Amino acid sequence: MSTPERAGWYDDPDDDSRLRYFDGIIWSDRTVPRQSRQTAPAAAPGGPGTDVFGRPSGPGEPTDTGVPQPPSPHGQGRPPYGPPPGAPLAHHAEPTTADGQALAPFGTRVGAYIIDALILGVINLVVAGWAFVLWMWDYVAFVFEAAEAGDQSRVEELTPDALLGMLDWPWFFVGLGLALLVQTAYQVGFLTTRGATPGKTVLGLSVRRYEQAGTITAGTAFMRVLLPLALQMLSWVPGLSLLVLVLNSADLLLPIIDPKRQTLHDKIAGTVVVVGPQPRGSDDRPA
């Protein structure tokens, strides 16, 4: 089944008795009953809009005379329809951007987030994992020595101060810095070049400004990742784990109730996540 070239009302591919709205990217859930066609009054032979036999000669749908007319340029041989006057919509319209691109459903965004988190975990294991191993090396060696000696009480009696003294903290900050750098490069690189991270690409989503389509700038992409970076750093600060958990939950769950389906980091950057890809070219307009 071919896809229409522009937004409009078309014959429903699943039910010929109704029309379905195509938003320019996907078929929406908005449908209306098809209005019954009116028989066109007969035109005099040779009159305007007819051929020498009196048949309509203009473009459009097949007429009651049974003579098909040239196909519409809008795709599938069907012209777009405006909403029939007074016809009710069968479903509530999905929220869209200012120019009509559908906003991403919450569940799909969660799926993309999980995919990206798994990819980042593998990358960080390679790039920063060695630094965290060196950070904990003395403690791990102590545990293995106690296990070989059969004296687990040495580990159980270890005080918090003694444990912290075994950790090589410079390597921790090296590992944390590398992990933050990986996350920043991942988000900024993919969003500015492709308009979507791998997780969003797999599930057919992309990131753009609400007002205008197009891949976002590096500055906008960095603003979008700023809150996740800050929360990741704060998660290592003693006593702030509960605050970080609350902020992370608020950030990820906000699209459920937000009219523009934005997270907190979307609002900071002025971005939205939408269904479909973005045309290449950055949007430099202010949010």
Side-chain angles (χ1 to χ4, degrees):
M1 178 182 64
S2 59
T3 302
E5 297 178 357
R6 65 189 70 184
W9 292 88
Y10 296 86
D11 292 345
D12 191 334
D14 300 325
D15 189 344
D16 291 339
S17 67
R18 63 187 183 185
L19 306 177
R20 183 178 294 273
Y21 187 75
F22 182 76
D23 64 9
I25 299 175
I26 61 172
W27 291 99
S28 73
D29 293 332
R30 300 168 59 186
T31 61
V32 294
R34 174 184 291 282
Q35 290 183 322
S36 60
R37 293 177 182 164
Q38 302 296 325
T39 302
T50 65
D51 59 19
V52 295
F53 300 104
R55 296 176 299 191
S57 59
E61 290 278 309
T63 65
D64 290 340
T65 62
V67 180
Q69 300 303 314
S72 164
H74 303 296
Q76 300 187 30
R78 298 189 297 265
Y81 293 83
L89 295 179
H91 302 279
H92 294 292
E94 287 293 313
T96 65
T97 60
D99 57 358
Q101 188 168 13
L103 298 176
F106 175 73
T108 310
R109 290 195 64 170
V110 171
Y113 176 86
I114 293 174
I115 294 173
D116 285 328
L118 292 174
I119 295 174
L120 279 170
V122 172
I123 297 174
N124 278 323
L125 185 63
V126 175
V127 174
W130 61 272
F132 288 110
V133 169
L134 292 176
W135 169 51
M136 301 183 64
W137 186 263
D138 289 343
Y139 172 72
V140 173
F142 173 79
V143 172
F144 275 105
E145 289 175 2
E148 290 178 355
D151 186 8
Q152 292 297 321
S153 61
R154 294 172 56 188
V155 178
E156 295 171 357
E157 295 172 358
L158 192 66
T159 64
D161 288 341
L163 172 60
L164 292 176
M166 291 182 179
L167 301 178
D168 197 345
W169 286 99
W171 286 118
F172 166 79
F173 291 109
V174 170
L176 180 60
L178 289 173
L180 296 177
L181 183 61
V182 165
Q183 183 171 351
T184 302
Y186 183 90
Q187 294 287 338
V188 175
F190 280 114
L191 293 183
T192 55
T193 59
R194 303 182 61 86
T197 58
K200 290 180 174 61
T201 299
V202 168
L203 297 183
L205 307 180
S206 63
V207 177
R208 52 165 283 182
R209 285 191 178 275
Y210 180 78
E211 300 86 356
Q212 184 176 347
T215 52
I216 59 178
T217 63
T220 300
F222 180 75
M223 291 298 295
R224 192 174 187 274
V225 77
L226 195 58
L227 179 61
L229 291 177
L231 292 178
Q232 186 172 342
M233 288 188 291
L234 289 176
S235 65
W236 293 95
V237 178
L240 294 183
S241 58
L242 180 59
L243 174 62
V244 171
L245 177 62
V246 171
L247 290 176
N248 260 321
S249 300
D251 182 35
L252 296 177
L253 298 178
L254 184 60
I256 297 176
I257 60 173
D258 187 76
K260 295 181 180 179
R261 294 184 176 175
Q262 290 177 303
T263 58
L264 291 176
H265 59 271
D266 278 320
K267 290 187 176 296
I268 292 174
T271 57
V272 290
V273 179
V274 296
V275 177
Q278 292 306 307
R280 296 300 174 89
S282 297
D283 174 15
D284 296 321
R285 298 194 330 173

